[in-house]
Amino acid sequence: MYEKIIKTDLGADVKIIDLRTDTISRPTQEMKEAMYIAEVGDDVYGEDPTVTELERRSAELLGKEDALFVASGTMANLIAIMVHCSQRGCEIISGDKAHTYRLEQGGTAQIAGVQTAPVKNKDDGTFSLDELREKIRKNPDMHEPITSLIIVENTHNLCGGKALPLDWLEKVSSIAAEHNIPVHMDGARLMNAAVFLKVTPRRVVRDVDTVCFCLSKGLGCPVGAVLAGSTDFITKSRRIRKVLGGGWRQAGVLAAAGLVALDTMIDRLRIDHDHAFKIAKAISCLNSNICEVDLGSVNTNIVMISFIHPSFTPADFAARLAETKEEDSIKVSVRIGIRQGAKGKGFTRLVTHWEITEEDVNLCIAKIVMVIREFEKRTISKL
């Protein structure tokens, strides 16, 4: 359970539940034991058997020829971009809310030297196929960059953890194939998408050329991501990984946790999804004039809360959720602080993960409902 029990100045116990993101979850006991006994070697020389096995298993799971264990999803995406966009003057097409475009320090331009042509993301994480066609540069002249890659994100972070429709992915792939352009999937939470869609991970990534997924988010590993694609793509990716400082040595210690995750952590993501939906439903049922949740948009483990009253902001909400007043225990039965991340103007985000229990969810709901009702009373008092 990801929680902390702390003592306040008043001597009372306070329970802190962390819903900022799923990256803060700690490895399971089974992962720790596997890491302790892992067989290791120098992976730069291709001599770490545990890393090799993780890469083999991951490629098999995704239906790709080969895979590469890397430090993070950000590194995996950057490597993919650098391999696909190997000449100067390349351009990629991605959604305007894409992680690679918004939340990776502009590494596409900063390190890879690649320009991004954004297309507007819809609420479901997709983008217009007509706009995609318009963005592709057909037979560019000497004044234009060269369209070299299309990136999709699944699940889509800033669109609330949406799983991309499989038929839409097939259409994107078809358009890309018309122009001989590869498609890369930023699948940081790919396994969440597979569980929500009730299909295999292999099916989710069938229509993309390359894909990465994080081990360190919902799968609970301490660190790491996997990048997969053709054998030639991974050979080139391994070289790029080295220049980025990502050459592992005895990385089997980390890869061992990844192997446990593939065996034990994918199917159980449904629990995280159910927990997120339960929180979202409790907020939705309030019919509050302060904030709202689009219940139909909650696909996986992310709850996006929109603020509809101008007097209150996501920062106000976050501060009160984290605050543990003495009188809170009367309304919630225990003094509880909730950590969450305000991610943008007018909305905030809650993310469930494997260390959040049913009891934690119930306590969170009680605290959230209490805070929303408090805000509503303040609104009435201002009239």
Side-chain angles (χ1 to χ4, degrees):
M1 185 188 307
Y2 194 86
E3 63 182 43
K4 295 181 180 178
I5 304 295
I6 62 174
K7 292 285 186 179
T8 68
D9 292 338
L10 299 174
D13 288 340
V14 175
K15 185 174 185 178
I16 305 299
I17 299 177
D18 201 332
L19 296 177
R20 286 174 296 172
T21 180
D22 44 10
T23 62
I24 51 84
S25 63
R26 298 169 296 188
T28 66
Q29 184 61 34
E30 187 175 352
M31 288 179 186
K32 293 175 184 178
E33 292 171 0
M35 292 166 72
Y36 182 73
I37 63 173
E39 185 179 357
V40 299
D42 192 320
D43 183 56
V44 171
Y45 290 97
E47 297 174 357
D48 191 303
T50 309
V51 171
T52 298
E53 179 62 8
L54 174 63
E55 293 171 343
R56 186 195 67 77
R57 286 276 310 278
S58 297
E60 181 180 51
L61 180 68
L62 300 175
K64 303 302 181 186
E65 291 179 357
D66 204 353
L68 182 67
F69 184 37
V70 301
S72 68
T74 295
M75 176 180 279
N77 286 328
L78 181 60
I79 290 172
I81 290 166
M82 293 177 73
V83 173
H84 287 303
C85 304
S86 57
Q87 62 179 315
R88 305 296 291 179
C90 285
E91 182 176 69
I92 64 175
I93 299 173
S94 79
D96 64 346
K97 292 183 180 179
H99 200 277
T100 53
Y101 181 61
R102 295 276 292 271
L103 297 170
E104 294 183 4
Q105 259 193 43
T108 300
Q110 183 183 172
I111 299 174
V114 177
Q115 176 171 294
T116 299
V119 293
K120 184 175 178 58
N121 274 122
K122 299 179 181 180
D123 290 342
D124 65 355
T126 67
F127 43 74
S128 165
L129 298 177
D130 289 336
E131 188 176 356
L132 172 61
R133 288 183 181 278
E134 291 174 4
K135 290 285 184 177
I136 294 173
R137 298 179 188 268
K138 296 93 175 173
N139 303 313
D141 67 20
M142 68 174 65
H143 300 90
E144 297 178 283
I146 302 167
T147 303
S148 303
L149 180 65
I150 298 168
I151 296 181
V152 296
E153 184 178 334
N154 199 17
T155 64
H156 202 292
N157 184 356
L158 293 182
C159 291
K162 302 288 199 320
L164 299 181
L166 296 177
D167 60 343
W168 180 82
L169 286 171
E170 186 174 0
K171 292 172 184 175
V172 169
S173 175
S174 178
I175 293 170
E178 290 175 20
H179 303 280
N180 198 30
I181 300 170
V183 179
H184 172 69
M185 179 181 288
D186 172 5
R189 295 183 176 91
L190 164 66
M191 302 308 168
N192 293 85
V195 169
F196 173 76
L197 295 170
K198 298 180 181 179
V199 298
T200 63
R202 175 188 293 243
R203 174 63 187 89
V204 176
V205 306
R206 184 194 70 183
D207 297 309
V208 299
D209 298 279
T210 60
V211 59
C212 68
F213 69 92
C214 285
L215 294 163
S216 57
K217 290 187 169 68
L219 299 186
C221 294
V223 67
V226 175
L227 177 63
S230 69
T231 301
D232 180 63
F233 170 80
I234 293 300
T235 298
K236 293 174 180 176
S237 295
R238 196 175 297 276
R239 179 175 175 82
I240 296 296
R241 185 187 67 170
K242 189 72 175 71
V243 78
L244 294 177
W248 301 106
R249 296 302 174 178
Q250 288 71 39
V253 174
L254 299 172
L259 287 170
V260 173
L262 296 187
D263 288 333
T264 66
M265 299 299 284
I266 296 176
D267 290 341
R268 66 145 309 281
L269 290 172
R270 168 52 57 191
I271 298 172
D272 299 340
H273 298 178
D274 291 344
H275 285 166
F277 188 83
K278 186 174 182 179
I279 294 171
K281 186 175 181 180
I283 298 171
S284 178
C285 287
L286 293 177
N287 294 315
S288 175
N289 66 341
I290 297 295
C291 61
E292 62 184 4
V293 170
D294 177 7
L295 205 55
S297 72
V298 183
N299 287 184
T300 55
N301 65 325
I302 297 176
V303 179
M304 303 294 281
I305 306 173
S306 300
F307 289 79
I308 55 180
H309 196 285
S311 297
F312 299 97
T313 68
D316 296 329
F317 188 66
R320 183 62 185 96
L321 285 183
E323 189 177 23
T324 55
K325 294 182 178 180
E326 187 174 7
E327 60 265 29
D328 288 357
S329 58
I330 299 174
K331 301 176 182 178
V332 185
S333 78
V334 63
R335 291 178 66 184
I336 173 177
I338 301 173
R339 291 180 176 173
Q340 53 85 55
K343 289 293 179 180
K345 183 178 180 181
F347 72 90
T348 191
R349 185 185 79 160
L350 305 175
V351 185
T352 57
H353 50 83
W354 83 266
E355 291 192 90
I356 300 299
T357 66
E358 188 74 18
E359 178 188 4
D360 294 332
V361 170
N362 292 332
L363 287 171
C364 285
I365 289 172
K367 178 66 178 280
I368 290 168
V369 169
M370 182 192 78
V371 170
I372 292 174
R373 292 308 190 202
E374 280 184 8
F375 282 13
E376 288 173 341
K377 288 179 181 179
R378 292 187 210 171
T379 303
I380 295 172
S381 68
K382 291 178 181 180
L383 296 177

